[in-house]
């Protein structure tokens, strides 16, 4: 049985697959994507946590904009969103919070720290739903 479902959006395919592999090994179902698609709205209704990169290729929505879209949806706004980026100046962290994210994860981060965060966030969400 799955511990929960995590949605992870990042344009770095190697990192995307690595994080997916690790979280699946720890018992999570992981939905991944390399760019935002409005089709994700229906899939997101059943996730326990969302992890978003900030920077995407020119012309695509950035992570802040995606977070605002998610938090602007009545059905999705309660899902915890964490920004995941190497762009980790204090202003980036503040912008993540302004966009509605619950927190910020710096790249690179020790995998144990990432797993611990996911465990805590998903457990808290399941206790509050």
């Amino acid at each position: 049985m799955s511990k929960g479902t995590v949605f992870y959006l990042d344009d770095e395919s190697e990192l995307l697959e690595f994080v997916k592999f690790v979280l699946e090994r720890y018992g999570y179902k992981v939905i991944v994507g390399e760019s935002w698609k409005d089709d994700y709205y229906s899939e997101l209704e059943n996730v326990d946590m969302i992890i978003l990169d900030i920077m995407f290729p020119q012309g695509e929505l950035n992570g802040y904009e995606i977070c605002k879209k998610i938090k602007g949806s009545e059905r999705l706004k309660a899902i915890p969103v964490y920004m995941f980026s190497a762009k980790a100046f204090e202003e980036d962290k503040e912008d993540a919070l302004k966009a509605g994210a619950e927190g910020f994860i710096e790249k690179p981060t020790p995998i144990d720290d990432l797993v611990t965060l996911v465990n805590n966030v998903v457990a808290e969400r399941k206790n509050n739903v």
Side-chain angles (χ1 to χ4, degrees):
M1 184 162 108
S2 171
K3 285 184 176 180
T5 304
V6 177
F7 175 76
Y8 175 36
L9 191 68
D10 198 317
D11 64 326
E12 294 179 53
S13 58
E14 293 85 13
L15 183 59
L16 196 71
E17 289 305 315
F18 176 71
V19 170
K20 180 179 191 275
F21 173 78
V22 169
L23 292 178
E24 286 177 343
R25 298 271 304 192
Y26 279 88
Y28 291 95
K29 177 181 176 190
V30 183
I31 301 167
V32 296
E34 291 187 33
S35 64
W36 176 256
K37 297 177 181 85
D38 285 341
D39 295 350
Y40 288 135
Y41 280 117
S42 60
E43 288 186 64
L44 292 178
E45 290 181 23
N46 299 312
V47 304
D48 300 297
M49 179 180 186
I50 299 169
I51 301 172
L52 298 174
D53 187 16
I54 292 176
M55 297 181 294
F56 289 90
Q58 186 88 18
E60 292 187 25
L61 294 176
N62 67 38
Y64 303 126
E65 294 163 332
I66 295 166
C67 185
K68 287 177 187 174
K69 286 177 76 107
I70 291 167
K71 293 300 184 174
S73 167
E74 198 59 39
R75 296 184 323 219
L76 305 178
K77 68 181 181 183
I79 301 168
V81 175
Y82 280 74
M83 307 306 291
F84 189 33
S85 183
K87 191 174 186 248
F89 293 106
E90 205 54 44
E91 66 191 40
D92 300 310
K93 295 174 184 178
E94 289 171 11
D95 288 344
L97 296 176
K98 286 179 192 170
E102 279 70 23
F104 194 96
I105 308 162
E106 289 185 33
K107 289 180 187 175
T109 191
I111 202 66
D112 291 344
D113 291 354
L114 179 62
V115 171
T116 298
L117 175 68
V118 171
N119 285 337
N120 292 339
V121 170
V122 170
E124 183 176 328
R125 171 140 169 90
K126 288 187 173 288
N127 288 334
N128 293 329
V129 172

